[in-house]
């Protein structure tokens, strides 16, 4: 009986350590400030869930995640694009910043301007919001 209990305790510990080891890789981005999840089946029914800590753990409790985003300060577009194997497809300038719609090695995508887009970067000054596939709501 004691040996059986030790066996299950060991298996449980290995499982927990494995989950903890792989949780950070479950997110699209390294968390900047807050981390936002978009949940639903389309932008029309999109629910926005923002967490400030333990984003990977929070994601485990969400259903129908269809996108993710986070904010960065002192943002370097070129370095960021390199980190996600991203390429700018469309650039839109607006009054106080620039939107970049990109392709990247990320899991979510939408069709925008007849192109498959899976990374949206909105840059204002030296700060940015990045999202996959796009920023829902606004920035």
């Amino acid at each position: 009986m004691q040996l059986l209990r030790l066996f299950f305790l060991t298996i449980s510990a290995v499982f927990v350590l494995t989950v903890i080891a792989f949780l950070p890789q479950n997110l699209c981005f390294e968390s900047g400030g807050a981390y936002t999840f978009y949940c639903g089946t389309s932008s029309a029914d999109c629910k926005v869930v923002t967490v400030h800590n333990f984003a990977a753990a929070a994601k485990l409790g969400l259903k129908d995640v269809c996108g993710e985003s986070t904010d960065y300060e002192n943002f370097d577009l070129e370095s960021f694009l390199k980190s996600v194997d991203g390429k700018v497809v469309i650039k839109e300038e607006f009054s106080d910043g620039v939107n970049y719609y990109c392709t990247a090695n990320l899991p979510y995508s939408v069709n925008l301007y007849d192109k498959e887009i899976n990374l949206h970067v909105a840059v204002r000054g030296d700060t940015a919001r990045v999202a996959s596939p796009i920023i829902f709501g606004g920035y």
Side-chain angles (χ1 to χ4, degrees):
M1 185 66 156
Q2 196 74 329
L3 190 56
L4 187 61
R5 183 179 285 164
L6 180 60
F7 172 76
F8 283 116
L9 183 60
T10 302
I11 294 297
S12 298
V14 168
F15 175 75
V16 168
L17 291 174
T18 302
V19 168
I20 289 170
F22 288 103
L23 275 177
Q25 298 171 359
N26 198 25
L27 299 175
C28 287
F29 310 109
E30 182 178 321
S31 186
Y35 203 92
T36 299
F37 298 98
Y38 305 114
C39 302
T41 56
S42 70
S43 61
D45 74 343
C46 187
K47 175 180 158 191
V48 176
V49 177
T50 301
V51 296
H52 297 279
N53 295 305
F54 309 110
K59 184 178 181 182
L60 292 175
L62 298 173
K63 291 186 179 187
D64 298 324
V65 175
C66 62
E68 304 175 26
S69 76
T70 193
D71 296 340
Y72 294 114
E73 293 185 22
N74 303 313
F75 185 75
D76 178 0
L77 178 65
E78 294 305 316
S79 295
F80 178 78
L81 288 175
K82 187 180 278 188
S83 74
V84 294
D85 194 26
K87 293 175 181 50
V88 175
V89 175
I90 301 163
K91 177 181 174 182
E92 291 180 337
E93 295 188 30
F94 54 97
S95 63
D96 61 345
V98 181
N99 279 321
Y100 298 94
Y101 297 96
C102 312
T103 60
N105 186 16
L106 295 167
Y108 312 104
S109 66
V110 295
N111 191 315
L112 189 65
Y113 303 116
D114 292 324
K115 307 223 185 272
E116 187 171 323
I117 300 297
N118 62 357
L119 173 63
H120 178 186
V121 179
V123 178
R124 289 187 176 157
D126 66 346
T127 64
R129 176 168 294 166
V130 300
S132 180
I134 61 172
I135 299 167
F136 293 109
Y139 173 63

